[in-house]
Amino acid sequence: MDANSSSNEQKAEELKLKANDAFKANKFSLAIEFYSQAIELNSSNAVYWANRAFAHTKLEEYGSAVQDASKAIEIDPRYSKGYYRRGAAYLAMGKFKEALKDFQQVKRISPNDPDATRKLKECEKAVQRIRFEEAISVGDEEKRSVADSIDYHIIEVEPQYTGPRVDGDSITLDFVKAMLDEFKKQKCIHKRYAYQIVLQTVQLLRSTPSLVDVDVPNGNHFTVCGDVHGQYFDLLNIFELNGLPSEENPYLFNGDFVDRGSFSVEVILALFAFKCLYPTGMYLARGNHESKSMNKIYGFEGEVRSKLGEAFIELFAEAFCCLPLAHVINSKVFVVHGGLFSVDGVKLSDIRAIERFREPPEEGLMCEILWSDPQPQLGRGPSKRGVGLSFGADVTKRFLQENKLDLVVRSHEVKDEGYEIEHDGKLITVFSAPNYCDQMGNKGAYIRFSAPELKPEISSFSAVPHPDVKPMAYANNFLRMFQ
């Protein structure tokens, strides 16, 4: 080995140690930078690739994690951690069968590793459960609407129930405030009222187009929030800082209301209740986590089962299929959860025409709206998530010009300050779950637009304390093993 490559290897090892320290401090982007520099100096070390895969997993960049872990395996086919990291990334993407193959391989390489044995068993159980569910599931066209088969009026409220009550069919502000307080004390409302909130929301959402035009009169304002992810106490803090939703103080919550945070039931009932109370004071858009496959893995399904019971799981799934996909404020600002498209020439009329009442597909406009991310380079690239795509400033600019719009606002990604302005100021990411998953240390943010200028005024805020229930407390048992 010449002196040069020996020196490179030594530098690479030093960078790996820096990366490991950054990883331990939950600075995952920085860790990726250091691992990448180490790989540039010595690309034949499988450990660097596997470690970078793990950091990508922490940032939910599962597509990149699979690529890195595959590279580690290519360098050293006997390196069990490569299969382990790739299996974990497949798992997070809901690709249980691919994950199973990788954990079987880990077990072959390390037959006496109790951790590998345990994970393999859990993975086998998950795959069996999925096969069983696929076998008994009915096609969308044969499905009866759950919402249409429930009548909340006939559900008895026992005299000993001491929580807030709704008289008749109209949800009132007093009821909603009392409900928010109950949730603060970690109590739930009666199922009758939970049904009423969700069913009335479904009725409102069904008649909503896939792309909603929002009109903000001159002199009025409108607030856009990003992902909340079951962080109920941070949601209350937004209302504390920016006022409760009302017709005069309207909000748009831009998807990913649930999953990960363990107060997702409280978040969704609060948002839905405000939707019932003020149909034009609360706008809701679908995120990639408003889907059955994500809710199965990331906690919402387990939480609903625990707090409200099995029947609500299908009901929420149906409600999520009714959520609109995009909003346009005053014909100027395009708001969408994920991002833009794999082809040029997409018009607002194409988005209006999307048949959205279904689980999100794995490709096409609806998938890209929910999953895509901006990239610093021009053009389009593969998605670091393994779903959707990455798009550059030129793609953003053309989309805005073709549709006579000024700005794209999207969510979907954690940002240190709760927001990031990219693409020559034409694209803003807003994320409203501070200290995401109790470990990222990020701020949250929301954007307030005032008509007629609609200049974005961004407010950042820090996380507030919450009861000691860990994120992912209700998640798929198997996924929790990897947290």
Side-chain angles (χ1 to χ4, degrees), residues 262-283:
S262 296
F263 302 97
S264 293
V265 164
E266 289 81 356
V267 166
I268 198 66
L269 287 176
L271 295 178
F272 277 8
F274 276 115
K275 181 70 186 165
C276 297
L277 187 59
Y278 305 119
T280 58
M282 175 61 80
Y283 293 86

Side-chain angles (χ1 to χ4, degrees), residues 353-364:
I354 294 173
E355 175 37 67
R356 73 175 193 274
F357 294 94
R358 55 182 173 146
E359 288 301 312
E362 291 195 9
E363 55 185 23

Side-chain angles (χ1 to χ4, degrees), residues 68-317:
D68 278 359
S70 299
K71 186 70 183 171
I73 292 162
E74 189 187 305
I75 292 166
D76 181 358
R78 299 284 304 158
Y79 181 45
S80 66
K81 206 163 251 183
Y83 296 100
Y84 188 95
R85 295 282 177 248
R86 190 171 69 180
Y90 276 139
L91 182 67
M93 293 162 84
K95 296 188 170 180
F96 289 101
K97 289 163 195 173
E98 289 89 336
L100 181 59
K101 284 182 199 151
D102 279 336
F103 291 119
Q104 284 165 339
Q105 192 59 27
V106 173
K107 184 82 171 87
R108 273 185 216 113
I109 296 168
S110 318
N112 301 321
D113 178 345
D115 185 53
T117 307
R118 201 172 87 245
K119 291 198 164 88
L120 178 61
K121 276 206 181 104
E122 281 293 335
C123 200
E124 285 168 344
K125 272 198 277 189
V127 170
Q128 278 171 342
R129 196 166 58 244
I130 285 159
R131 287 192 178 130
F132 173 70
E133 284 169 1
E134 282 171 359
I136 61 167
S137 71
V138 291
D140 284 347
E141 49 294 335
E142 303 162 50
K143 265 202 183 122
R144 267 181 54 236
S145 158
V146 186
D148 292 344
S149 65
I150 298 166
D151 180 3
Y152 66 84
H153 297 94
I154 61 174
I155 299 169
E156 288 286 323
V157 181
E158 305 78 14
Q160 62 269 34
Y161 169 72
T162 57
R165 293 171 180 259
V166 182
D167 290 325
D169 284 333
S170 295
I171 286 163
T172 63
L173 181 58
D174 285 344
F175 168 79
V176 175
K177 284 179 173 172
M179 178 182 82
L180 297 182
D181 281 342
E182 274 307 87
F183 290 165
K184 258 201 252 183
K185 301 175 204 149
Q186 289 182 271
K187 294 180 175 170
C188 210
I189 54 169
H190 196 281
K191 278 184 193 172
R192 175 194 162 114
Y193 306 128
Y195 274 124
Q196 182 170 349
I197 289 166
V198 182
L199 292 168
Q200 289 186 358
T201 303
V202 166
Q203 289 307 332
L204 287 164
L205 294 175
R206 274 179 180 168
S207 57
T208 306
S210 292
L211 183 148
V212 178
D213 289 295
V214 178
D215 178 44
V216 184
N218 286 352
N220 292 30
H221 61 264
F222 188 83
T223 301
V224 179
C225 296
D227 306 34
V228 180
H229 274 303
Q231 296 187 197
Y232 177 70
F233 291 83
D234 294 308
L235 173 69
L236 291 184
N237 188 38
I238 293 172
F239 294 153
E240 196 70 30
L241 296 168
N242 192 57
L244 283 177
S246 67
E247 306 289 0
E248 296 71 44
N249 189 33
Y251 282 82
L252 162 56
F253 280 83
N254 196 27
D256 283 13
F257 322 123
V258 301
D259 279 340
R260 294 200 177 269
S262 296
F263 302 97
S264 293
V265 164
E266 289 81 356
V267 166
I268 198 66
L269 287 176
L271 295 178
F272 277 8
F274 276 115
K275 181 70 186 165
C276 297
L277 187 59
Y278 305 119
T280 58
M282 175 61 80
Y283 293 86
L284 300 166
R286 193 171 193 173
N288 61 306
H289 275 267
E290 277 70 52
S291 76
K292 274 186 188 175
S293 58
M294 292 288 114
N295 297 162
K296 234 181 231 334
I297 303 172
Y298 290 101
F300 184 57
E301 183 180 295
E303 189 184 334
V304 171
R305 185 177 285 116
S306 166
K307 291 177 180 175
L308 291 169
E310 198 74 35
F312 274 90
I313 293 172
E314 275 300 319
L315 181 59
F316 276 118

Side-chain angles (χ1 to χ4, degrees), residues 340-370:
L340 300 180
F341 309 101
S342 54
V343 291
D344 284 336
V346 174
K347 296 282 195 283
L348 296 182
S349 55
D350 298 320
I351 299 167
R352 275 193 191 92
I354 294 173
E355 175 37 67
R356 73 175 193 274
F357 294 94
R358 55 182 173 146
E359 288 301 312
E362 291 195 9
E363 55 185 23
L365 296 186
M366 181 168 167
C367 168
E368 290 162 4
I369 275 174
L370 299 177

